[in-house]
């Protein structure tokens, strides 16, 4: 279990945040509702993301759900009657939650979704915005928008199509079906699947490895991969060049070379 001595809480405790070494952890904590996301939780999630983004000691962020039954079961449907009952209300709702998702989409540090249980609707959107998805056997994935009469929106579908291709995206969206972790792995929706009792240890292991690697090299990879996914006309080749130059001129590159020659573990500082 994680050390929770530095835990911070947002949205009345429904979003929790803590750090362990260079790893930041955000927990969706509304297990009675399978971690369904209320607007307050979206806002708390944004606060936690901002806090960990601005903490220089944090080099990678894990997102997880509390309770063992769900990562996030989607938006909180019980709020829809009040906040999302027609196009105008839905647009306002969309803006408030989209602002927090934009933080994750443009996050400067690597992010990992650690998925145990249901990952549905808006939960899939969060998971797909993370850089990497790791899941427990038995987890269930789906976007039941067609069962609710909701349009899923451009950003969510863009990520879905880029991960699983247009045909699987259509099958998932037209049927609203749920698939299990084995199938999610096969179609490229998640990168790795572990037995449930190993998921957290494996996730922390990967996060710790990332947190010990050279931050500028990771930043260069993250930025460049994001640019690869853009249309050529919107690609910022200057930004790719700048981050590459920063890396090759960095003290960390010197340290990486020296540590290799001296057969010791490098100690990177992100500059
Ligand atoms: N919004 C609001 N409440 C939700 C919720 C959601 N997205 N998902 C689950 N809950 C609530 C249920 O209403 C239930 O509340 P209750 O105890 O007051 O009756 C509680 O969480 C537990 O859910 P339950 O359905 O009893 O648990 P389960 O383990 O059998 O099934 C789910 C879990 C997630 C598969 C099922 O609750 C579900 O299909 N939820 C809706 C998912 C969805 O459509 N998401 C997309 C929203 S855009």
């Amino acid at each position: 279990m994680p050390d929770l001595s530095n835990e911070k809480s947002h949205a009345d405790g429904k979003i929790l945040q803590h750090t362990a070494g260079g790893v930041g952890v955000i927990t969706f904590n509304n297990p009675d509702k399978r971690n369904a996301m209320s607007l307050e939780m979206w806002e708390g999630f944004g606060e936690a993301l901002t806090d960990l983004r601005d903490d220089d000691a944090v080099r990678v962020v894990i997102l997880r759900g509390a309770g063992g039954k769900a990562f996030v079961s989607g938006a909180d449907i019980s709020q829809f009657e009040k906040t999302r009952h027609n196009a105008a209300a839905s647009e306002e709702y969309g803006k408030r939650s989209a602002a927090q998702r934009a933080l994750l989409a443009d996050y400067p540090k690597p992010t990992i979704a650690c998925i145990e249980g249901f990952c549905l609707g808006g939960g899939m959107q969060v998971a797909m915005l993370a850089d990497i998805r790791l899941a427990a056997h038995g987890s269930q994935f789906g976007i039941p928008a067609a069962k609710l009469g909701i349009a899923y929106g451009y950003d969510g579908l863009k990520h879905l199509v880029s991960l699983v291709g247009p045909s699987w995206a259509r099958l998932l969206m037209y049927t609203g079906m749920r698939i299990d972790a084995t199938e999610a792995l096969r179609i490229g929706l998640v990168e790795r699947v572990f037995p449930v009792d190993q998921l957290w240890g494996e996730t922390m292991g990967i996060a710790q490895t990332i947190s010990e690697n050279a931050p500028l090299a990771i930043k260069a990879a993250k930025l460049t991969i994001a640019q690869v996914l853009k249309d050529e006309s919107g690609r910022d080749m200057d930004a790719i060049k700048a981050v590459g130059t920063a890396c090759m001129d960095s003290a960390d590159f010197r340290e990486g070379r020296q540590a290799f020659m001296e057969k010791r573990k490098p100690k990177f500082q992100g500059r």
Side-chain angles (χ1 to χ4, degrees):
M1 271 318 280
D3 165 23
L4 300 178
S5 53
N6 58 16
E7 190 169 81
K8 236 171 131 174
S9 137
H10 308 269
D12 264 344
K14 293 196 169 72
I15 298 289
L16 302 172
Q17 146 200 350
H18 73 275
T19 56
V23 182
V25 181
I26 298 176
T27 305
F28 303 104
N29 183 40
N30 192 8
D32 287 351
K33 284 195 175 184
R34 307 295 182 262
N35 305 324
M37 291 287 280
S38 62
L39 274 175
E40 297 72 30
M41 285 171 74
W42 279 117
E43 274 154 12
F45 178 47
E47 288 162 18
L49 281 172
T50 305
D51 247 42
L52 294 175
R53 181 195 65 195
D54 296 343
D55 182 341
D56 287 342
V58 171
R59 291 187 175 176
V60 51
V61 173
I62 299 174
L63 312 176
R64 67 201 290 259
K69 290 193 172 156
F71 175 69
V72 169
S73 68
D76 185 336
I77 301 168
S78 68
Q79 284 195 327
F80 283 9
E81 206 45 51
K82 238 187 178 164
T83 57
R84 216 178 173 185
H85 52 285
N86 60 25
S90 192
E91 185 158 338
E92 183 54 34
Y93 177 100
K95 263 191 214 147
R96 283 176 68 187
S97 58
Q100 323 307 328
R101 283 195 296 273
L103 274 174
L104 182 56
D106 296 328
Y107 213 61
K109 301 175 182 181
T111 52
I112 303 173
C114 172
I115 301 161
E116 182 181 347
F118 294 109
C119 179
L120 302 174
M124 280 272 287
Q125 219 169 347
V126 172
M128 291 189 297
L129 280 170
D131 290 327
I132 298 161
R133 285 147 295 282
L134 308 173
H137 283 300
S139 297
Q140 296 263 326
F141 302 81
I143 302 177
K147 293 189 182 297
L148 287 158
I150 291 176
Y152 199 59
Y154 179 81
D155 287 337
L157 286 180
K158 188 177 88 175
H159 287 109
L160 184 66
V161 171
S162 85
L163 287 170
V164 306
S167 296
W168 257 108
R170 292 186 188 107
L171 181 56
L172 289 168
M173 296 309 297
Y174 296 174
T175 62
M177 74 201 282
R178 295 208 297 252
I179 58 170
D180 65 12
T182 308
E183 189 138 55
L185 180 67
R186 196 172 60 73
I187 69 173
L189 187 56
V190 302
E191 280 66 60
R192 283 194 159 170
V193 175
F194 301 103
V196 67
D197 59 342
Q198 290 171 26
L199 175 67
W200 183 247
E202 294 284 353
T203 304
M204 274 305 269
I206 289 173
Q208 261 147 12
T209 299
I210 293 172
S211 78
E212 286 163 14
N213 282 341
L216 285 174
I218 291 170
K219 186 175 166 195
K222 179 157 180 163
L223 183 145
T224 306
I225 292 166
Q227 294 296 328
V228 168
L229 293 174
K230 289 189 176 171
D231 286 340
E232 206 175 335
S233 61
R235 232 169 254 158
D236 188 348
M237 298 308 285
D238 290 343
I240 296 175
K241 188 160 192 320
V243 79
T245 305
C247 249
M248 302 317 278
D249 280 344
S250 68
D252 279 352
F253 179 39
R254 214 165 39 241
E255 165 67 4
R257 298 193 303 267
Q258 259 171 21
F260 179 82
M261 297 312 288
E262 291 164 13
K263 299 191 188 304
R264 63 174 171 81
K265 211 174 161 181
K267 206 163 163 20
F268 294 119
Q269 302 187 51
R271 55 189 160 80

